[in-house]
Every structure is written in structure tokens, then in C-alpha cells.
Amino acid sequence: MTETTGKRPALTVWIVSDGKPGHVNQSLGLAEALARATTTETHRLPALPAWRVWLALLLKHAPGKSLPP
């Protein structure tokens, strides 16, 4: 809780998905359940193949770099 407002900061929920519909639905359902319990910020990122991750690291261009921690 913050001392000035007495509110908890928003919970950040990251959904990293391989694109399979069942996985996406389960992840979204969990994020929605958390949102009913507390204030949340939900962000979705696609899972990248390993070769794209290595290429991004080599080029120092991390995917999702502009999103909050």
C-alpha cells in the first residue's frame, strides 16, 4: 500500500503465449480472475522461437522492451 493514498499499486500480469487457443484461454481466464480480486494491468506477448530470441539478444533489441516491468 502506498502511504499517501492507502491503495495498492496495480498488479502487472504478463501473458506470454505460444498461440495455442487452450493456453490463451486459460491464461486470459486467470488474468480476468485476478482482475476481479484487485486492480491489474494485463499485457500479452507472443512467445518467440529460440532463434528469434537469440537474434534479438545479438542485435540488442529485446521484444516488449517498451512495456512496463
Side-chain angles (χ1 to χ4, degrees):
M1 288 194 176
T2 59
E3 293 179 19
T4 57
T5 62
K7 293 184 180 180
R8 291 182 179 192
L11 178 67
T12 303
V13 178
W14 289 96
I15 298 174
V16 181
S17 171
D18 59 1
K20 294 179 181 173
H23 295 171
V24 173
N25 287 337
Q26 286 182 346
S27 299
L28 289 174
L30 178 58
E32 289 172 4
L34 288 170
R36 286 191 297 269
T38 187
T39 305
T40 62
E41 292 179 17
T42 303
H43 304 281
R44 293 175 66 179
L45 282 176
L48 297 175
W51 69 270
R52 290 207 42 207
V53 172
W54 282 108
L55 181 62
L57 289 172
L58 287 172
L59 299 175
K60 296 183 181 177
H61 178 67
K65 195 173 185 179
S66 62
L67 294 173

